[in-house]
Amino acid sequence: MTRRREHDRMQLIIEALGKPQGDLAVRDLIAAFGTAPAETAAYRIGEPVVLSQHLRFGSGGEIVLHDDVVIAVVLHLTPTSFAPRGLDVAEWIPGIGNSATFADFRASFDVPWRFAEGDRYFVLEAAYLRPEFVKYGGRRAGDLQRVAFSVDDPKDTCRPAHDGCPVCRELIARAEDGLFDLDGTIHRLVHGLEAGVLTSKDGPVPLADLRPLHASALLERVESQVTCTACGRVACLTLYRDSSPTFSHHPLDAALRRPHEAVPPVERWGDAARIAAAREAMRYVDHEPGSWFLVEQHGDLYLDSRYTISSMLDDSCLIRLDDAERRQYREAGRDTLTELARRIDRSGPHREESPFHLRNLRRYPDDGRDYSTELRAAIADHTWLARQKQAAAQRARTASAAEG
């Protein structure tokens, strides 16, 4: 390899991204890191399977390949199991030292920056650069731990270090021939939820409903999402009407952006027990867009009201209407709920002095109930019906126009 000067090394990293391991640019990068990896790790992730390989060098460099293509390069500045000292980042990134702050990166890279998973990263011409700090958001010198270069936008992809998450590695079940075992995988996910190593508050379809919804063929795709408490990634198990299942990992924001169809009423796909359970559940009553939802269960009325914490943050407060509030609603109608929502907002229910603080069932649930999940299910049923009515109305307008 022709020896490169230090200020050319960052370009060497960028040239290796997206290339197969045998490419000359990758071989040059391997030589610059020290020729032979001090440690190599390999993981099979997702379905369809992706082979993840991590080539880790004693110098502190790490090359991450997915299916033999370089997707990321990580510069470790602090000691690791494979690099006792870490590397000197100044030899790889012009103008950046091991004590650099985020402000130093901004001064060196006059390019746009964005947020991803609590970190800020830079959009270079042919790569993404993410400095990772131990704390304080990169405001203090000495907190820089590593710098990662990646092919894909960090907002849409998981950190390379999470490929080897010990919890996530055990989620997929496979038959003896290596084929994906759907029932076994669902069983492992359920077990993970019961053990507390997974949570399921962010998913569109509960795991228990995944199979029956898929069997109904009412939807093109049905997806359940569970979040790993160890690495924070969201695992998405997706069943399709006309193709094989997939299993993939995503950052939380990316998982929330994944498309999914509204779930039809349970009467169209559930068995008798599931239908009976749904009848016992919360049901949608009314709502004011952007302000509140009203739901009912066993004669009780619940108001879920949005409130503002700051110019950048808001939240929801769920209360059970008391006798006086119920009476006002019956006598004066929905305007009383809008006024009640305004009072909740003005009181700041996240503060203890608010009269609604202890009434907030999201924060202080009765008997350990998960009110957020119950409410989300009630609203999802309403949303599906509303979309069906809109679609029917549109079909009627189209037919009328055609006849005219």
Side-chain angles (χ1 to χ4, degrees):
M1 179 189 86
T2 301
R3 179 174 294 276
R4 295 190 179 232
R5 290 173 297 177
E6 291 176 357
H7 66 267
D8 290 328
R9 286 188 170 185
M10 189 176 78
Q11 187 61 34
L12 183 62
I13 292 174
I14 292 174
E15 289 175 0
L17 291 172
K19 304 288 179 33
Q21 186 170 351
D23 189 272
L24 178 60
V26 180
R27 296 204 304 269
D28 283 350
L29 180 59
I30 290 174
F33 276 148
T35 306
E39 177 180 303
T40 300
Y43 314 102
R44 288 161 54 88
I45 56 178
E47 174 64 27
V49 177
V50 172
L51 177 61
S52 171
Q53 294 176 283
H54 293 242
L55 309 181
R56 297 162 177 160
F57 299 83
S59 61
E62 180 176 7
I63 300 174
V64 183
L65 304 100
H66 282 186
D67 289 338
D68 203 43
V69 173
V70 177
I71 59 101
V73 176
V74 185
L75 305 178
H76 295 269
L77 283 57
T78 56
T80 67
S81 62
F82 55 88
R85 298 178 58 184
L87 54 73
D88 181 359
V89 73
E91 297 179 356
W92 292 85
I93 305 177
I96 296 296
N98 285 30
S99 296
T101 64
F102 184 76
D104 295 327
F105 277 91
R106 288 191 63 183
S108 293
F109 296 95
D110 186 20
V111 295
W113 59 271
R114 302 172 184 168
F115 281 102
E117 294 186 286
D119 284 336
R120 291 168 288 185
Y121 65 98
F122 296 90
V123 183
L124 307 183
E125 184 175 344
Y128 298 91
L129 182 156
R130 174 160 65 182
E132 298 181 12
F133 300 88
V134 64
K135 53 186 175 181
Y136 301 115
R139 294 190 297 273
R140 292 194 347 179
D143 288 335
L144 182 62
Q145 285 190 306
R146 64 189 70 88
V147 181
F149 293 82
S150 64
V151 172
D152 298 314
D153 194 327
K155 175 170 54 63
D156 300 321
T157 55
C158 299
R159 297 177 190 268
H162 293 159
D163 285 356
C165 173
V167 173
C168 294
R169 285 165 58 188
E170 300 299 322
L171 297 182
I172 292 180
R174 298 192 180 278
E176 292 183 0
D177 57 5
L179 294 178
F180 182 69
D181 179 355
L182 177 59
D183 289 333
T185 298
I186 292 176
H187 175 77
R188 291 189 180 189
L189 295 177
V190 171
H191 178 73
L193 292 170
E194 293 173 346
V197 298
L198 302 175
T199 63
S200 63
K201 295 181 180 179
D202 306 308
V205 174
L207 275 169
D209 292 341
L210 189 67
R211 277 292 213 175
L213 262 173
H214 176 250
S216 73
L218 292 170
L219 304 177
E220 292 288 340
R221 64 195 299 276
V222 186
E223 181 171 284
S224 287
Q225 298 179 359
V226 296
T227 301
C228 175
T229 59
C231 69
R233 294 185 300 174
V234 179
C236 300
L237 174 58
T238 313
L239 307 185
Y240 301 86
R241 183 189 292 166
D242 300 317
S243 57
S244 300
T246 62
F247 190 104
S248 55
H249 297 276
H250 305 272
L252 176 58
D253 287 347
L256 293 175
R257 294 195 304 270
R258 286 173 64 81
H260 63 88
E261 301 170 70
V263 177
V266 67
E267 289 79 8
R268 299 193 60 193
W269 53 268
D271 59 19
R274 181 66 179 84
I275 293 172
R279 288 173 179 167
E280 291 293 307
M282 287 181 174
R283 66 175 185 85
Y284 165 87
V285 177
D286 197 359
H287 82 288
E288 179 66 27
S291 180
W292 53 262
F293 271 93
L294 182 69
V295 298
E296 182 272 339
Q297 185 180 40
H298 301 312
D300 286 327
L301 291 174
Y302 299 85
L303 183 72
D304 188 55
S305 178
R306 300 296 295 176
Y307 68 91
T308 300
I309 297 176
S310 69
S311 60
M312 298 292 291
L313 184 65
D314 61 3
D315 204 348
S316 290
C317 177
L318 176 66
I319 64 169
R320 183 186 292 108
L321 298 189
D322 60 26
D323 291 342
E325 292 160 348
R326 288 169 57 87
R327 184 169 59 254
Q328 291 171 353
Y329 172 61
R330 287 196 301 267
E331 293 174 356
R334 66 195 312 276
D335 287 346
T336 64
L337 299 181
T338 299
E339 176 55 32
L340 177 57
R342 292 195 186 103
R343 286 196 285 121
I344 291 173
D345 183 28
R346 289 195 296 266
S347 77
H350 58 291
R351 300 192 295 262
E352 292 185 2
E353 59 267 26
S354 167
F356 300 99
H357 180 76
L358 292 177
R359 293 182 64 186
N360 188 356
L361 295 170
R362 288 181 179 272
R363 186 183 292 266
Y364 301 106
D366 297 340
D367 302 323
R369 288 175 58 182
D370 186 352
Y371 281 95
S372 295
T373 297
E374 295 182 42
L375 179 69
R376 186 163 55 242
I379 294 173
D381 287 345
H382 157 72
T383 301
W384 189 88
L385 290 170
R387 289 179 179 175
Q388 290 297 101
K389 290 178 181 178
Q390 291 174 356
Q394 181 60 46
R395 288 193 297 270
R397 288 193 293 269
T398 301
S400 178
E403 291 175 0

